[in-house]
Amino acid sequence: MKAPTISKQQKWLRFLLPFPIGMVVYVLILLVFDTLNQFTANFFSQEVLVTVLLAFVLMETLRLLLNALDKRFPLVTDIQPENGEMHEFKGLTHSSRIILLPLVSLLLSVLVITPLVSVYFYFVLIISDFNTELIVFNGVYGVVAILYSVIHVSTSFLAVHKQLHYKQEQELRRGMESDLDKFKMQINPQLLYDGLENLISIVHAKPRMAEQFVNQLSKIYRYSLDNRHVELVDLKRELELSQSLLYLLNIKYSNSIDFEARLPSEWLHRQIIPCTISALIQELVNRTIINEFQPLKIRLETKDDELYFVCNHNPKIGLNGNGVWNLSLINNAYAFFNDNKQLEITQTDQQLHINIPLFEIEEE
């Protein structure tokens, strides 16, 4: 992965920065020679132009060098978002990069500034003895080169850290989306098997009921297919799906399942993850003893900003009935939207209470 540089992020800085840098260099040189009083008189002089041109040439040379080093020795060649670590360095580790790049920049500054200043003094100003001036120019532009390399290294590290963080967020989001899709797309094979079994038993004796049965069964799977790419649906649509599911279950359990949802009308437009209520109903039915003497009563209640799934508790005997409720898939789906919104079960001897967080989508 190639780290972005200053010139790639803001190309216009390549042409604007040399002017203020050149002027600052000129002021520093005047301070060294104690001739700062000449600054106003020589503001638009040849000397200022020379310092600006030297700054431009030096910065362009440093840019080319640092870009070449980034290509040859990138910060990282591979990013592992699973553990958030950067590794597989090519030659330059983080610490060595911080130390070597400023030194290389300083050396390059000397190699660039020395011949240019020498040409200026020898051929333009016709001065042969300029050793002191050469040392001053190299010293000032050396500081500029070191600062440039430090800024470059800092922005490169920040850019890599930002990209790494972005990749981690992408991986986390893809994982949550996968959990959400798994939950929404799960098709209960037991429901389909029981549905077809019940359909066979009533298709000859009660053809009208069989037709209605097929209609309700198709609504359930049509709902799952229609919402496989939908993250949230209205609570009203979720309740309609629950009614279709309860119609099928009550044929099997001889109308021994009672479902009551007396909710305020404004709650019906709140959002819920598709198939949440129906999944809870199926899980509950699989774990509960249901007959005409021990009917299953389910009701939905509102409290604060959450919906509560309340039912009587009459678990089946055996491992499947006494096992702990597994809400991990549903909670992983809810974590896609908010880690603080999770389904929790409160269990007593007589009842189960399951909170179902809802979402409110604000229209812009």
Side-chain angles (χ1 to χ4, degrees), residues 75 89 91-102 153 157:
L75 280 174
F89 296 99
L92 288 180
T93 62
H94 285 181
S95 58
S96 61
R97 181 181 292 266
I98 294 173
I99 297 173
L100 291 179
L101 288 187
V153 172
F157 283 155

Side-chain angles (χ1 to χ4, degrees), residues 244-307:
S244 297
L245 175 61
L246 289 166
Y247 179 87
L248 303 183
L249 293 174
N250 271 320
I251 291 179
K252 177 180 180 180
Y253 292 101
S254 304
N255 294 318
S256 298
I257 303 176
D258 180 54
F259 183 80
E260 181 182 12
R262 294 182 180 179
L263 306 176
S265 57
E266 61 270 15
W267 279 65
L268 298 179
H269 299 289
R270 296 194 177 188
Q271 304 290 301
I272 190 173
I273 293 178
C275 303
T276 298
I277 297 178
S278 61
L280 292 177
I281 292 175
Q282 292 180 65
E283 183 73 10
L284 177 63
V285 169
N286 292 334
R287 293 173 172 273
T288 306
I289 298 175
I290 305 173
N291 54 52
E292 56 182 330
F293 303 104
Q294 296 175 306
L296 175 61
K297 296 183 179 181
I298 306 171
R299 68 178 186 274
L300 296 180
E301 300 177 349
T302 60
K303 183 179 179 181
D304 299 330
D305 288 332
E306 292 187 334
L307 181 68

Side-chain angles (χ1 to χ4, degrees), residues 10-20 52 56 59-60:
Q10 298 175 332
K11 293 183 179 180
W12 53 270
L13 289 177
R14 293 169 52 187
F15 303 98
L16 294 182
L17 280 179
F19 290 95
V52 171
F56 177 77
M59 293 178 64
E60 281 296 294

Side-chain angles (χ1 to χ4, degrees), residues 55-122:
F56 177 77
V57 173
L58 177 61
M59 293 178 64
E60 281 296 294
T61 307
L62 288 172
R63 181 184 66 84
L64 294 175
L65 173 66
L66 295 176
N67 286 347
L69 289 176
D70 282 341
K71 292 180 180 179
R72 180 64 182 85
F73 305 106
L75 280 174
V76 289
T77 59
D78 188 23
I79 290 182
Q80 296 293 337
E82 292 82 5
N83 54 21
E85 296 181 356
M86 298 179 293
H87 57 91
E88 294 188 16
F89 296 99
K90 282 190 175 180
L92 288 180
T93 62
H94 285 181
S95 58
S96 61
R97 181 181 292 266
I98 294 173
I99 297 173
L100 291 179
L101 288 187
L103 294 178
V104 172
S105 299
L106 178 60
L107 177 61
L108 181 65
S109 172
V110 174
L111 295 177
V112 171
I113 297 300
T114 298
L116 292 178
V117 171
S118 299
V119 168
Y120 174 70
F121 274 91
Y122 192 80

Side-chain angles (χ1 to χ4, degrees), residues 187-204:
I187 296 179
N188 191 332
Q190 188 63 35
L191 174 65
L192 182 61
Y193 176 80
D194 291 344
L196 294 176
E197 189 177 56
N198 293 330
L199 178 62
I200 293 174
S201 65
I202 64 175
V203 67
H204 297 294

